[in-house]
Amino acid sequence: VGSMVMAHSLKTESMNGAGGRVKGAKGDRVTVVFPPPLGEKALRPENLKVAPNMPEIHPDAREPPSFTFEALLDRKKGEHLGLSLEPSPQAPKPGQDSFLRVTGVLAEGSIQKYNEGVKEAALRLCQNDHIVGVVDCSVPEAKRKPVCGKSDQILRIIQTGATPLVLLVRRILGPPLRFMNGQRVMANCGEKGWLDGHVINVWESKPDGNMDPYVIRLKENGHVVCAPKDSDQYVKKADPLFKVGDEVMCHRQGSYQKAIVTEIRDLKVLTSYLAKVEKQVIEVPEELNQFVRPTARFTKGT
């Protein structure tokens, strides 16, 4: 009694992964109190496991890592969406973005059908997902535009019954981390010392139910290693890749353009740059491929 547990392998998919506290026994079942809207449930012991320990958060951690995906819903006329939703934040400040948080996936509705038709489990909607935008695809293509950042407007479009709809979904992968997917880091490899690599995954689940904050591919040999904690003992930021005067490719106005690094900003958890493109100095917010990359080693014809 009082132990934290997690539900799994249930037919009601929205409950899988939900954590709650054991209240007591009820016949051959265990009564667990889950946060609203689930409430109190009596489940079989084989559908429960001890909740993993909460990882420590590094004091320099930035924000919770997340990924986004799109869910195309082609629902029948009058068909219920099949989601329990709540605005977050409930009272946004002026200029603050808001979204709809999924508090439950119902057994019936267009979302349940969508989830059953999606092969990749990571792309199925589930509890605590954030609906950050919506596109009404019932209007002519030339007039379609995403509605984002306003939970009341997103909900209004959903409630019109328009079909098809595209939901823009953000999923939080775990607690805040220092480093992002794709970021260059150094991993503590024991006797081999600190080796260069880059993050290829975050908060990867392990068989025991716990998660590794970082999965890192080493530059030296391509081997994959895991950092058990977001700690300076196991992983740290790599030194800046570029020097002042280096020629690089910067992402600007939808394409990559040649630039010259003019300033390096070597911060605690990231490296940013100033670079000169033609006669204009631009800011490179972070040393990630989507912002800056080395020039090609070879040119056409070589």
Side-chain angles (χ1 to χ4, degrees):
V1 174
S3 297
M4 291 297 297
V5 293
M6 184 179 291
H8 67 95
S9 305
L10 294 166
K11 290 183 179 179
T12 306
E13 191 168 341
S14 60
M15 285 193 63
N16 291 328
R21 193 173 295 277
V22 174
K23 182 179 180 180
K26 188 175 183 180
D28 63 346
R29 300 196 173 211
V30 178
T31 303
V32 181
V33 179
F34 294 96
L38 295 178
E40 190 174 301
K41 302 289 183 183
L43 303 177
R44 292 188 176 91
E46 56 265 31
N47 292 121
L48 296 170
K49 60 183 178 182
V50 177
N53 296 324
M54 286 300 295
E56 296 178 16
I57 298 176
H58 194 283
D60 295 329
R62 293 191 269 174
E63 58 186 29
S66 64
F67 84 97
T68 58
F69 63 96
E70 297 180 359
L72 174 62
L73 306 178
D74 194 2
R75 50 182 173 170
K76 297 178 181 178
K77 186 176 181 179
E79 184 177 32
H80 192 270
L81 186 64
L83 285 178
S84 298
L85 301 168
E86 68 174 20
S88 183
Q90 294 193 356
K93 299 176 182 178
Q96 182 182 14
D97 285 350
S98 59
F99 56 88
L100 297 173
R101 187 174 72 87
V102 177
T103 58
V105 178
L106 308 182
E108 296 182 357
S110 56
I111 291 294
Q112 186 66 22
K113 293 179 181 178
Y114 165 82
N115 281 348
E116 291 172 353
V118 174
K119 293 182 179 180
E120 192 173 344
L123 300 182
R124 298 171 188 158
L125 273 86
C126 60
Q127 188 177 6
N128 291 322
D129 279 348
H130 300 170
I131 299 178
V132 297
V134 64
V135 181
D136 179 1
C137 295
S138 68
V139 301
E141 188 170 356
K143 295 183 178 181
R144 295 176 191 173
K145 60 180 182 180
V147 175
C148 303
K150 302 288 184 182
S151 59
D152 56 341
Q153 295 180 19
I154 296 170
L155 183 60
R156 193 177 303 126
I157 292 174
I158 291 173
Q159 291 175 334
T160 63
T163 186
L165 279 182
V166 172
L167 301 182
L168 309 178
V169 185
R170 178 179 64 210
R171 179 170 299 155
I172 303 299
L173 300 175
L177 291 172
R178 290 179 294 162
F179 307 122
M180 300 176 61
N181 242 327
Q183 188 169 351
R184 293 174 55 253
V185 294
M186 297 186 72
N188 186 348
C189 295
E191 295 180 355
K192 294 183 178 180
W194 290 89
L195 299 182
D196 286 331
H198 68 277
V199 178
I200 60 173
N201 200 9
V202 296
W203 291 126
E204 183 166 279
S205 296
K206 299 192 292 186
D208 63 2
N210 290 302
M211 296 186 292
D212 284 324
Y214 300 112
V215 182
I216 300 165
R217 187 178 300 281
L218 300 178
K219 179 181 178 180
E220 179 182 272
N221 50 27
H223 292 173
V224 173
V225 297
C226 296
K229 291 182 181 180
D230 187 12
S231 164
D232 299 318
Q233 178 183 354
Y234 299 108
V235 61
K236 60 185 181 181
K237 184 179 76 71
D239 294 331
L241 180 61
F242 306 114
K243 305 185 299 293
V244 171
D246 281 353
E247 188 177 67
V248 296
M249 300 298 293
C250 289
H251 192 266
R252 179 171 176 261
Q253 299 176 350
S255 64
Y256 283 91
Q257 301 177 23
K258 284 187 177 180
I260 302 295
V261 175
T262 60
E263 184 179 328
I264 302 168
R265 296 172 176 174
D266 192 6
L267 307 177
K268 273 188 177 182
V269 297
L270 63 88
T271 299
S272 64
Y273 300 93
L274 293 182
K276 192 172 184 180
V277 180
E278 297 176 347
K279 295 183 179 181
Q280 184 179 0
V281 175
I282 63 171
E283 182 176 4
V284 179
E286 189 159 354
E287 190 188 277
L288 294 170
N289 272 346
Q290 62 258 45
F291 301 123
V292 62
R293 57 181 58 175
T295 55
R297 290 185 299 161
F298 307 111
T299 57
K300 190 175 181 179
T302 58

